Amino acid sequence: QVQLVESGGGSAQAGGSLKLSCAASAASPYILSGCAMAWYRQAPGKERELVSRIGSAGTISNADSAKGRFTISRDKSKNTLYLQMNSLKTEDTAMYYCAACYSTGGDLGYMGYTYWGQGTQVTVSS
């Protein structure tokens, strides 16, 4: 069993910064060690979309919208995932979700992740 809890969301002005955190807990401290983790977001009226992903070995994949502005990182010693967001835009406004442990068996997108947090709201104003 894995539990993910996001924090760090809030309001910011365009051009500002926010840092999101995802605290992970598990029945065994080794459950997450081999898992990829990712940040997704979902804005009103839109589908959930990938923001950034970091693999179990540290490889990073970013959505085009995040490149050059957002940085994902992971502190395995603290079981915490981070998303540093700089140069925020109004279109970054969304609920941001932490996800962990991608299933095998095909390209399932966000549905491939086994564990999810409840989300943290990010609102960017002009």
Side-chain angles (χ1 to χ4, degrees):
Q1 297 294 325
V2 173
Q3 182 171 283
L4 307 175
V5 180
E6 302 95 335
S7 63
S11 299
Q13 293 187 354
S17 299
L18 287 172
K19 187 173 184 178
L20 307 183
S21 298
C22 172
S25 62
S28 169
Y30 304 104
I31 290 178
L32 295 173
S33 63
C35 284
M37 298 188 74
W39 287 100
Y40 278 79
R41 68 186 183 188
Q42 188 167 21
K46 297 184 178 180
E47 295 184 356
R48 190 168 300 188
E49 65 176 2
L50 175 70
V51 178
S52 187
R53 171 191 182 276
I54 184 165
S56 60
T59 55
I60 296 171
S61 298
N62 293 304
D64 287 341
S65 61
K67 292 179 179 178
R69 301 190 300 124
F70 296 177
T71 303
I72 191 171
S73 61
R74 182 177 183 177
D75 186 342
K76 289 190 174 182
S77 67
K78 298 180 179 179
N79 284 325
T80 303
L81 181 74
Y82 303 97
L83 183 68
Q84 177 66 52
M85 304 188 293
N86 298 323
S87 301
L88 286 165
K89 303 175 181 179
T90 55
E91 51 262 46
D92 295 320
T93 296
M95 184 73 74
Y96 283 71
Y97 298 93
C98 176
C101 301
Y102 197 85
S103 300
T104 58
D107 184 8
L108 303 177
Y110 74 86
M111 295 184 68
Y113 284 93
T114 302
Y115 305 108
W116 291 87
Q118 295 299 305
T120 184
Q121 178 68 41
V122 170
T123 302
V124 183
S125 60
S126 62

PDB file of all heavy atoms in Angstrom, residues 21-39:
ATOM      1  N   SER A  21       5.339  19.662  -3.518  1.00  0.00           N
ATOM      2  CA  SER A  21       5.944  18.493  -2.899  1.00  0.00           C
ATOM      3  C   SER A  21       4.942  17.356  -2.879  1.00  0.00           C
ATOM      4  O   SER A  21       3.733  17.578  -2.793  1.00  0.00           O
ATOM      5  CB  SER A  21       6.382  18.796  -1.467  1.00  0.00           C
ATOM      6  OG  SER A  21       7.371  19.803  -1.433  1.00  0.00           O
ATOM      7  N   CYS A  22       5.443  16.151  -2.953  1.00  0.00           N
ATOM      8  CA  CYS A  22       4.630  14.945  -2.856  1.00  0.00           C
ATOM      9  C   CYS A  22       5.308  14.018  -1.867  1.00  0.00           C
ATOM     10  O   CYS A  22       6.372  13.461  -2.158  1.00  0.00           O
ATOM     11  CB  CYS A  22       4.486  14.283  -4.218  1.00  0.00           C
ATOM     12  SG  CYS A  22       3.698  12.649  -4.179  1.00  0.00           S
ATOM     13  N   ALA A  23       4.704  13.875  -0.708  1.00  0.00           N
ATOM     14  CA  ALA A  23       5.239  12.996   0.320  1.00  0.00           C
ATOM     15  C   ALA A  23       4.652  11.607   0.151  1.00  0.00           C
ATOM     16  O   ALA A  23       3.432  11.441   0.109  1.00  0.00           O
ATOM     17  CB  ALA A  23       4.921  13.547   1.702  1.00  0.00           C
ATOM     18  N   ALA A  24       5.510  10.625   0.058  1.00  0.00           N
ATOM     19  CA  ALA A  24       5.083   9.248  -0.170  1.00  0.00           C
ATOM     20  C   ALA A  24       5.327   8.402   1.065  1.00  0.00           C
ATOM     21  O   ALA A  24       6.342   8.545   1.752  1.00  0.00           O
ATOM     22  CB  ALA A  24       5.818   8.648  -1.364  1.00  0.00           C
ATOM     23  N   SER A  25       4.392   7.533   1.331  1.00  0.00           N
ATOM     24  CA  SER A  25       4.548   6.574   2.410  1.00  0.00           C
ATOM     25  C   SER A  25       4.084   5.213   1.923  1.00  0.00           C
ATOM     26  O   SER A  25       3.209   5.116   1.061  1.00  0.00           O
ATOM     27  CB  SER A  25       3.769   7.005   3.651  1.00  0.00           C
ATOM     28  OG  SER A  25       2.383   7.076   3.384  1.00  0.00           O
ATOM     29  N   ALA A  26       4.654   4.174   2.474  1.00  0.00           N
ATOM     30  CA  ALA A  26       4.324   2.818   2.053  1.00  0.00           C
ATOM     31  C   ALA A  26       4.504   1.854   3.210  1.00  0.00           C
ATOM     32  O   ALA A  26       5.241   2.126   4.164  1.00  0.00           O
ATOM     33  CB  ALA A  26       5.193   2.396   0.876  1.00  0.00           C
ATOM     34  N   ALA A  27       3.827   0.727   3.116  1.00  0.00           N
ATOM     35  CA  ALA A  27       3.950  -0.284   4.153  1.00  0.00           C
ATOM     36  C   ALA A  27       5.389  -0.766   4.269  1.00  0.00           C
ATOM     37  O   ALA A  27       5.876  -1.048   5.361  1.00  0.00           O
ATOM     38  CB  ALA A  27       3.019  -1.450   3.856  1.00  0.00           C
ATOM     39  N   SER A  28       6.056  -0.871   3.133  1.00  0.00           N
ATOM     40  CA  SER A  28       7.472  -1.189   3.085  1.00  0.00           C
ATOM     41  C   SER A  28       8.217  -0.006   2.496  1.00  0.00           C
ATOM     42  O   SER A  28       7.783   0.557   1.496  1.00  0.00           O
ATOM     43  CB  SER A  28       7.741  -2.429   2.239  1.00  0.00           C
ATOM     44  OG  SER A  28       9.125  -2.586   1.997  1.00  0.00           O
ATOM     45  N   PRO A  29       9.336   0.382   3.074  1.00  0.00           N
ATOM     46  CA  PRO A  29      10.087   1.525   2.530  1.00  0.00           C
ATOM     47  C   PRO A  29      10.710   1.247   1.177  1.00  0.00           C
ATOM     48  O   PRO A  29      11.186   2.168   0.520  1.00  0.00           O
ATOM     49  CB  PRO A  29      11.165   1.765   3.597  1.00  0.00           C
ATOM     50  CG  PRO A  29      11.348   0.436   4.256  1.00  0.00           C
ATOM     51  CD  PRO A  29       9.980  -0.175   4.285  1.00  0.00           C
ATOM     52  N   TYR A  30      10.672   0.006   0.725  1.00  0.00           N
ATOM     53  CA  TYR A  30      11.295  -0.361  -0.537  1.00  0.00           C
ATOM     54  C   TYR A  30      10.312  -0.452  -1.698  1.00  0.00           C
ATOM     55  O   TYR A  30      10.734  -0.641  -2.841  1.00  0.00           O
ATOM     56  CB  TYR A  30      12.027  -1.694  -0.397  1.00  0.00           C
ATOM     57  CG  TYR A  30      13.053  -1.687   0.704  1.00  0.00           C
ATOM     58  CD1 TYR A  30      12.807  -2.318   1.919  1.00  0.00           C
ATOM     59  CD2 TYR A  30      14.267  -1.025   0.535  1.00  0.00           C
ATOM     60  CE1 TYR A  30      13.748  -2.299   2.932  1.00  0.00           C
ATOM     61  CE2 TYR A  30      15.208  -0.998   1.543  1.00  0.00           C
ATOM     62  CZ  TYR A  30      14.949  -1.639   2.744  1.00  0.00           C
ATOM     63  OH  TYR A  30      15.890  -1.615   3.759  1.00  0.00           O
ATOM     64  N   ILE A  31       9.044  -0.295  -1.429  1.00  0.00           N
ATOM     65  CA  ILE A  31       8.042  -0.418  -2.477  1.00  0.00           C
ATOM     66  C   ILE A  31       8.264   0.596  -3.597  1.00  0.00           C
ATOM     67  O   ILE A  31       8.159   0.269  -4.784  1.00  0.00           O
ATOM     68  CB  ILE A  31       6.626  -0.277  -1.901  1.00  0.00           C
ATOM     69  CG1 ILE A  31       6.281  -1.497  -1.042  1.00  0.00           C
ATOM     70  CG2 ILE A  31       5.602  -0.107  -3.024  1.00  0.00           C
ATOM     71  CD1 ILE A  31       4.928  -1.419  -0.385  1.00  0.00           C
ATOM     72  N   LEU A  32       8.584   1.829  -3.243  1.00  0.00           N
ATOM     73  CA  LEU A  32       8.709   2.905  -4.215  1.00  0.00           C
ATOM     74  C   LEU A  32      10.086   3.010  -4.841  1.00  0.00           C
ATOM     75  O   LEU A  32      10.259   3.774  -5.790  1.00  0.00           O
ATOM     76  CB  LEU A  32       8.350   4.242  -3.569  1.00  0.00           C
ATOM     77  CG  LEU A  32       6.900   4.403  -3.120  1.00  0.00           C
ATOM     78  CD1 LEU A  32       6.736   5.697  -2.339  1.00  0.00           C
ATOM     79  CD2 LEU A  32       5.973   4.397  -4.324  1.00  0.00           C
ATOM     80  N   SER A  33      11.054   2.278  -4.340  1.00  0.00           N
ATOM     81  CA  SER A  33      12.423   2.442  -4.810  1.00  0.00           C
ATOM     82  C   SER A  33      12.585   2.127  -6.290  1.00  0.00           C
ATOM     83  O   SER A  33      13.431   2.719  -6.955  1.00  0.00           O
ATOM     84  CB  SER A  33      13.381   1.572  -3.985  1.00  0.00           C
ATOM     85  OG  SER A  33      13.084   0.195  -4.137  1.00  0.00           O
ATOM     86  N   GLY A  34      11.788   1.222  -6.812  1.00  0.00           N
ATOM     87  CA  GLY A  34      11.873   0.851  -8.211  1.00  0.00           C
ATOM     88  C   GLY A  34      10.790   1.455  -9.080  1.00  0.00           C
ATOM     89  O   GLY A  34      10.615   1.037 -10.229  1.00  0.00           O
ATOM     90  N   CYS A  35      10.087   2.439  -8.555  1.00  0.00           N
ATOM     91  CA  CYS A  35       8.960   3.035  -9.268  1.00  0.00           C
ATOM     92  C   CYS A  35       9.305   4.370  -9.903  1.00  0.00           C
ATOM     93  O   CYS A  35      10.016   5.182  -9.314  1.00  0.00           O
ATOM     94  CB  CYS A  35       7.794   3.257  -8.310  1.00  0.00           C
ATOM     95  SG  CYS A  35       6.883   1.770  -7.869  1.00  0.00           S
ATOM     96  N   ALA A  36       8.752   4.581 -11.073  1.00  0.00           N
ATOM     97  CA  ALA A  36       8.750   5.916 -11.650  1.00  0.00           C
ATOM     98  C   ALA A  36       7.734   6.776 -10.905  1.00  0.00           C
ATOM     99  O   ALA A  36       6.780   6.259 -10.318  1.00  0.00           O
ATOM    100  CB  ALA A  36       8.383   5.845 -13.123  1.00  0.00           C
ATOM    101  N   MET A  37       7.942   8.074 -10.924  1.00  0.00           N
ATOM    102  CA  MET A  37       6.988   9.002 -10.338  1.00  0.00           C
ATOM    103  C   MET A  37       6.775  10.146 -11.312  1.00  0.00           C
ATOM    104  O   MET A  37       7.640  10.447 -12.142  1.00  0.00           O
ATOM    105  CB  MET A  37       7.466   9.526  -8.985  1.00  0.00           C
ATOM    106  CG  MET A  37       7.632   8.439  -7.941  1.00  0.00           C
ATOM    107  SD  MET A  37       7.983   9.074  -6.274  1.00  0.00           S
ATOM    108  CE  MET A  37       6.363   9.718  -5.818  1.00  0.00           C
ATOM    109  N   ALA A  38       5.620  10.776 -11.208  1.00  0.00           N
ATOM    110  CA  ALA A  38       5.281  11.802 -12.178  1.00  0.00           C
ATOM    111  C   ALA A  38       4.351  12.841 -11.586  1.00  0.00           C
ATOM    112  O   ALA A  38       3.657  12.588 -10.598  1.00  0.00           O
ATOM    113  CB  ALA A  38       4.624  11.167 -13.407  1.00  0.00           C
ATOM    114  N   TRP A  39       4.358  13.996 -12.214  1.00  0.00           N
ATOM    115  CA  TRP A  39       3.383  15.043 -11.936  1.00  0.00           C
ATOM    116  C   TRP A  39       2.448  15.165 -13.126  1.00  0.00           C
ATOM    117  O   TRP A  39       2.899  15.270 -14.271  1.00  0.00           O
ATOM    118  CB  TRP A  39       4.059  16.391 -11.695  1.00  0.00           C
ATOM    119  CG  TRP A  39       4.764  16.501 -10.383  1.00  0.00           C
ATOM    120  CD1 TRP A  39       6.094  16.378 -10.149  1.00  0.00           C
ATOM    121  CD2 TRP A  39       4.163  16.778  -9.121  1.00  0.00           C
ATOM    122  NE1 TRP A  39       6.374  16.552  -8.822  1.00  0.00           N
ATOM    123  CE2 TRP A  39       5.193  16.799  -8.160  1.00  0.00           C
ATOM    124  CE3 TRP A  39       2.853  17.008  -8.691  1.00  0.00           C
ATOM    125  CZ2 TRP A  39       4.964  17.042  -6.805  1.00  0.00           C
ATOM    126  CZ3 TRP A  39       2.617  17.247  -7.349  1.00  0.00           C
ATOM    127  CH2 TRP A  39       3.660  17.256  -6.424  1.00  0.00           C
TER     128      TRP A  39
END
